[in-house]
């Protein structure tokens, strides 16, 4: 049964998504050493889960549910949104983790449904990404250290974004060889994660090589290489994507160099945030003016100030990784604060654009 849900019905989910983002940022600043007022519930240890599953995962689920226009597909974002809330409220870990696992299972089933209708490499990539999210959530649910789950969470976001970019790059009429190269890079990454279940160190090194190859493919074949020459919103989106692909290659190189030897400390910080901030959030910044109108039926008119949080994100990430490389925690700490400010500026800028759009429409 197809349906068009009223946007008002989605507001509770959106509120929980924003709470997960704010909670994740608060936890990130506490983890990196900034003294903030005490919350009723300690959430520093929930930073990764709140950002990946409560915030980004719920957004991906919601986007797919809206596009699919079927009632049952909304179960996934509802489950992950409530799961994120359970983490914020400090409920027993099994509750939040179970809800997140069920939500990721729901997204995988959504992609099974879509793949049966359109059996293409891009949809397969997104399906594999959803399965990776499920595996990571299951590992975390059944007591594995969080550093075992994080590579699978990263795989979820990377293959989802990679599949979406492959889908959009069809306008270039890609040759079969280029699609095979994408499949090889994604397959090498997936193989590395599978190997990591047996040998964490070797698996991450293989997965890193896959990430580097995937970043190189996107940098070479993505339509952003052409749209960067245009203007306005089109150019801004390309300006978000292209540096993000460079960060993906940097993250892949770090994974291959370090492997599983670093599960904490400076190298681990660089390995994770080059991907989650440099790549993933660059993609979020670029896609927000497209996704928000499609999901929430609100206009996000382009404004040149969109470049401010983007530039701040990359500049402070460079500072953070410079601190990681030099072993200077002061630089890393300052970069982490700058990262949080960049994300806050992105939220404020997007909200301001929505207000401007409504005034213009009125």
């Amino acid at each position: 049964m197809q349906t068009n849900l009223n946007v008002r019905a989605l507001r509770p989910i959106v509120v929980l998504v924003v709470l997960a983002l704010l909670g994740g940022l608060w936890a990130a600043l506490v983890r990196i050493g900034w003294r903030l007022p005490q919350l009723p519930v300690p959430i520093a240890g929930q930073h990764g889960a709140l950002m990946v599953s409560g915030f980004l995962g719920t957004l991906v689920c919601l986007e797919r549910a809206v596009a699919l226009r079927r009632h049952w597909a909304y179960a996934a974002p509802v489950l992950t949104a409530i799961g994120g809330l359970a983490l914020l409220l400090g409920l027993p870990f099994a509750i939040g983790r179970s809800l997140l696992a069920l939500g990721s299972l729901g997204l995988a089933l959504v992609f099974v449904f879509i793949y049966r209708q359109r059996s293409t490499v891009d949809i397969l990539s997104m399906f594999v990404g959803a399965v990776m999210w499920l595996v990571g959530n299951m590992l975390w649910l059944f007591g594995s250290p969080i550093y075992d789950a994080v590579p699978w969470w990263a795989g979820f976001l990377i293959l989802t974004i990679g599949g979406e970019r492959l889908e959009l790059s069809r306008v270039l009429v890609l040759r079969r060889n280029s699609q095979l190269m994408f499949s090889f890079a994604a397959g090498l990454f997936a193989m590395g994660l599978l190997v990591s279940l047996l040998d964490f160190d070797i698996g991450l090194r293989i997965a890193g090589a896959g990430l580097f190859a995937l970043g190189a493919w996107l940098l070479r074949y993505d339509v952003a290489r052409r749209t960067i020459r245009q203007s306005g919103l089109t150019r801004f989106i390309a300006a978000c994507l292209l540096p993000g692909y460079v960060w993906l290659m940097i993250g892949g190189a770090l994974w291959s160099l370090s492997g599983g030897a670093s599960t904490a400390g400076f190298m681990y910080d660089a390995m994770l945030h080059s991907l989650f901030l440099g790549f993933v959030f660059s993609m979020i910044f670029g896609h927000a003016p497209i996704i928000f109108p499609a999901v929430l039926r609100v206009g996000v008119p382009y404004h040149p100030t969109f470049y401010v949080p983007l530039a701040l994100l990359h500049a402070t990430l460079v500072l953070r990784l410079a601190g990681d490389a030099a072993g200077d925690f002061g630089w890393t700490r300052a970069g982490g604060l700058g990262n949080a400010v960049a994300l806050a500026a992105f939220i404020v800028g997007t909200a301001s654009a929505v207000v401007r759009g409504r005034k213009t429409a009125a």
Side-chain angles (χ1 to χ4, degrees):
M1 176 181 176
Q2 293 188 346
T3 181
N4 284 313
L5 284 188
N6 191 301
V7 173
R8 292 182 179 179
L10 304 180
R11 287 179 180 174
I13 300 177
V14 175
V15 169
L16 293 181
V17 166
V18 173
L19 286 176
L21 172 59
L22 295 177
L25 291 177
W26 191 281
L29 292 175
V30 172
R31 285 178 63 86
I32 208 168
W34 290 99
R35 292 187 177 180
L36 300 177
Q38 291 290 331
L39 295 179
V41 176
I43 60 171
Q46 313 304 322
H47 163 62
L50 287 170
M51 295 299 288
V52 173
S53 295
F55 174 55
L56 295 170
T58 303
L59 279 181
V60 173
C61 292
L62 187 58
E63 177 193 6
R64 285 294 150 180
V66 170
L68 197 58
R69 298 170 58 194
R70 293 179 182 268
H71 277 119
W72 60 269
Y74 287 91
V78 168
L79 287 167
T80 56
I82 298 175
L85 179 63
L87 297 181
L88 285 171
L89 294 177
L91 298 181
F93 286 155
I95 296 176
R97 296 179 187 187
S98 296
L99 289 169
L100 295 176
L102 288 172
S104 54
L105 174 61
L107 181 63
L109 294 176
V110 166
F111 279 117
V112 168
F113 181 84
I114 297 173
Y115 188 76
R116 292 178 63 182
Q117 297 178 319
R118 182 160 59 92
S119 304
T120 55
V121 175
D122 50 277
I123 298 301
L124 179 60
S125 174
M126 289 183 266
F127 165 69
V128 173
V131 172
M132 287 180 176
W133 187 26
L134 174 60
V135 172
N137 286 336
M138 293 298 290
L139 287 171
W140 195 44
L141 173 62
F142 288 105
S144 293
I146 197 165
Y147 59 74
D148 281 344
V150 166
W152 295 90
W153 289 348
F156 157 54
L157 297 172
I158 291 164
L159 290 191
T160 298
I161 293 168
E164 290 179 345
R165 297 313 303 172
L166 176 61
E167 183 179 28
L168 292 172
S169 292
R170 290 184 182 279
V171 298
L172 299 179
V173 191
L174 296 176
R175 295 180 179 178
R176 179 172 175 78
N177 285 345
S178 64
Q179 295 192 42
L180 288 175
M181 291 167 62
F182 176 91
S183 299
F184 170 79
L188 182 62
F189 172 63
M191 182 180 72
L193 290 190
L194 288 173
V195 172
S196 74
L197 295 174
L198 303 174
D199 189 309
F200 190 67
D201 181 66
I202 294 176
L204 253 61
R205 294 180 191 275
I206 296 172
L211 290 180
F212 187 90
L214 190 58
W217 187 95
L218 289 165
L219 198 59
R220 168 64 180 84
Y221 290 105
D222 194 277
V223 68
R225 292 185 66 225
R226 296 187 180 184
T227 56
I228 192 66
R229 300 171 189 151
Q230 298 183 22
S231 61
L233 178 60
T234 304
R235 176 178 237 170
F236 170 74
I237 293 173
C240 292
L241 303 184
L242 294 177
Y245 301 152
V246 174
W247 282 115
L248 179 57
M249 296 173 67
I250 291 172
L254 292 175
W255 278 33
S256 289
L257 289 172
S258 180
S262 299
T263 56
F266 289 115
M267 176 58 82
Y268 188 65
D269 183 80
M271 288 169 61
L272 294 191
H273 292 96
S274 56
L275 295 177
F276 286 109
L277 285 173
F279 174 66
V280 173
F281 269 96
S282 285
M283 303 299 110
I284 297 298
F285 282 19
H287 287 121
I290 299 173
I291 294 174
F292 287 176
V295 174
L296 301 178
R297 305 293 189 268
V298 294
V300 186
Y302 166 76
H303 193 274
T305 54
F306 283 8
Y307 282 96
V308 174
L310 177 65
L312 184 60
L313 174 70
H314 291 301
T316 54
L317 185 55
V318 168
L319 175 63
R320 181 174 190 155
L321 264 67
D324 290 334
D328 189 321
F329 185 65
W331 289 9
T332 301
R333 187 167 172 260
L337 177 61
N339 299 153
V341 172
L343 297 188
F346 162 71
I347 297 170
V348 172
T350 302
S352 299
V354 171
V355 172
R356 286 196 303 270
R358 287 181 173 176
K359 287 182 179 179
T360 301

